[in-house]
Amino acid sequence: MTTYPNAGARILPFAVVLRLTRYIERDNVKHYKCAVKFCEGLAKLASNNGHDGVIVFSDLSATSIFQQNFLCIFKKDDQDFLGIGFNATFDVQTTKELTVPELVGHAVSAERRSACVGETEIGIGKTSAERHHSTDINSCFVTHHHHFSGQQCPHITTIAHNFAEAGFPSIAASFDQEAAAIWMPTLVSYTFDVPPQPALLDSVSTNSDVTLLLDTFFNILIFHGEMVAQWKKAGYQDQEGYENFRELLEAPVTDAQDLPLGGFPIPQYIVYDEGGSQVHFLLSKLNPSTTHMMMSMYGTAAGTGPAIFTYNVSFQVFMEHLKCLAVGTQTN
């Protein structure tokens, strides 16, 4: 690989110990502002020359999850070439009825103006083409990238768009619910004598007699409720007559292994019990229907499920407040 403009560049991996956030907030880091200015200029220069890179954040570079993600960058195909494209450009071409307002993501504007560029600028706008540091070899639309063999490879994908008047029934029928939920975490609940079933991303789902499987794309988490954790600690799963409990513990592990893990980065796999130190991975994704502000005089939450210690309002409270504002606006 070379360091010439518009060609793939050499990858230089290195480890660095980052400053703690509190030192930066207190402006107690020497040369910090100069370093930021230098890095911003270096990033712009690298982007313009097509030399962007990949950043994988991890607590420690010695962990297995970091090493697996790092090795993913160097996976090769059956011809012994890396399975990624370098210095990619992403070009969108539309008919005259449609325009491209913006792109949201990790890209740099190629500053290519055309008739399909929209007037509204959101994110990276005023261009119909963007540049990416690297791309998967199966990327779509009009995409060009440099293959590791030195060839320039184009990919073209066309998409048909149906037009309809506002309120036409076909609009609702053509809505892709699965596509709309690609970015939503999924939560599956396992309990006794009931098949696994999807659960609400809500604190009411974290009952003591359930095991939960949470997939957030970046993390795959298996949670054991309080009663399940106590039985597991007592070793009931190894005793005769508790086969159903052993199946309850094994089912989410098996399902987690069947989840598609071909993406990048590789998700972190976490197993913990109720009250464990890694509880924030689950609670941060749940709607706080039961909080410490709703505790009864006996120390338990007024609703079902354990209390979440947060001052954020629940979705229900938010919706009620939004309804009041909407009604008040219409009345006025």
Side-chain angles (χ1 to χ4, degrees):
M1 308 302 289
T2 69
T3 56
Y4 291 103
N6 300 319
R10 186 183 304 275
I11 298 177
L12 298 176
F14 60 91
V16 61
V17 179
L18 300 179
R19 292 279 188 176
L20 296 177
T21 306
R22 63 174 180 267
Y23 292 119
I24 299 177
E25 292 176 346
R26 297 172 183 174
D27 197 18
N28 192 24
V29 180
K30 191 176 182 181
H31 307 306
Y32 170 73
K33 295 181 179 179
C34 294
V36 170
K37 183 177 181 181
F38 171 78
C39 290
E40 288 178 347
L42 185 62
K44 184 176 181 180
L45 178 62
S47 299
N48 292 336
N49 289 336
H51 295 334
D52 292 1
V54 177
I55 297 178
V56 179
F57 285 103
S58 180
D59 297 336
L60 296 172
S61 59
T63 59
S64 60
I65 188 66
F66 175 85
Q67 295 172 1
Q68 292 177 46
N69 278 297
F70 188 74
L71 291 176
C72 282
I73 305 175
F74 302 98
K75 282 186 176 180
K76 296 185 178 181
D77 57 20
D78 54 358
Q79 298 182 359
D80 203 34
F81 290 118
L82 292 180
I84 56 177
F86 302 94
N87 188 32
T89 58
F90 183 84
D91 192 358
V92 180
Q93 301 175 9
T94 67
T95 59
K96 62 181 182 179
E97 293 85 3
L98 299 176
T99 59
V100 181
E102 45 79 20
L103 177 137
V104 177
H106 49 286
V108 178
S109 173
E111 299 181 357
R112 184 178 302 171
R113 296 302 301 268
S114 66
C116 65
V117 176
E119 295 296 330
T120 304
E121 182 177 6
I122 305 174
I124 302 175
K126 295 184 178 180
T127 179
S128 62
E130 294 82 22
R131 303 178 67 170
H132 299 254
H133 56 82
S134 61
T135 184
D136 185 88
I137 58 176
N138 298 317
S139 295
C140 56
F141 296 97
V142 182
T143 307
H144 298 82
H145 69 264
H146 288 166
H147 190 262
F148 199 77
S149 62
Q151 298 178 336
Q152 187 178 34
C153 304
H155 296 270
I156 300 177
T157 298
T158 59
I159 296 179
H161 181 82
N162 295 325
F163 291 90
E165 296 294 333
F168 199 71
S170 63
I171 297 178
S174 63
F175 179 73
D176 192 341
Q177 297 185 14
E178 293 185 1
I182 282 173
W183 297 105
M184 287 290 293
T186 60
L187 187 66
V188 181
S189 177
Y190 303 78
T191 188
F192 297 100
D193 303 324
V194 177
Q197 53 187 352
L200 293 174
L201 286 167
D202 197 288
S203 58
V204 298
S205 299
T206 58
N207 295 319
S208 64
D209 60 343
V210 301
T211 296
L212 300 176
L213 174 60
L214 176 69
D215 180 9
T216 68
F217 182 79
F218 294 106
N219 298 293
I220 294 178
L221 183 143
I222 295 178
F223 162 83
H224 299 133
E226 183 178 4
M227 188 187 75
V228 176
Q230 292 175 354
W231 284 23
K232 181 170 68 75
K233 186 177 180 181
Y236 286 177
Q237 68 275 14
D238 300 324
Q239 299 181 17
E240 186 178 355
Y242 288 89
E243 290 79 8
N244 59 341
F245 180 63
R246 181 167 59 250
E247 294 175 356
L248 178 64
L249 297 178
E250 294 175 352
V253 177
T254 302
D255 292 345
Q257 294 174 351
D258 294 336
L259 292 174
L261 302 178
F264 178 83
I266 296 176
Q268 184 177 7
Y269 184 75
I270 304 169
V271 180
Y272 86 101
D273 300 334
E274 170 67 34
S277 60
Q278 295 177 314
V279 66
H280 63 277
F281 284 104
L282 174 63
L283 298 185
S284 63
K285 301 299 181 182
L286 301 182
N287 174 44
S289 292
T290 54
T291 69
H292 68 289
M293 303 294 292
M294 303 166 58
M295 302 291 282
S296 68
M297 61 181 296
Y298 300 104
T300 58
T304 58
I308 297 180
F309 290 87
T310 179
Y311 288 98
N312 294 329
V313 298
S314 66
F315 179 73
Q316 294 86 346
V317 174
F318 170 77
M319 288 302 299
E320 291 298 326
H321 184 67
L322 188 61
K323 290 178 182 178
C324 293
L325 291 178
V327 173
T329 302
Q330 295 177 1
T331 304
N332 296 332

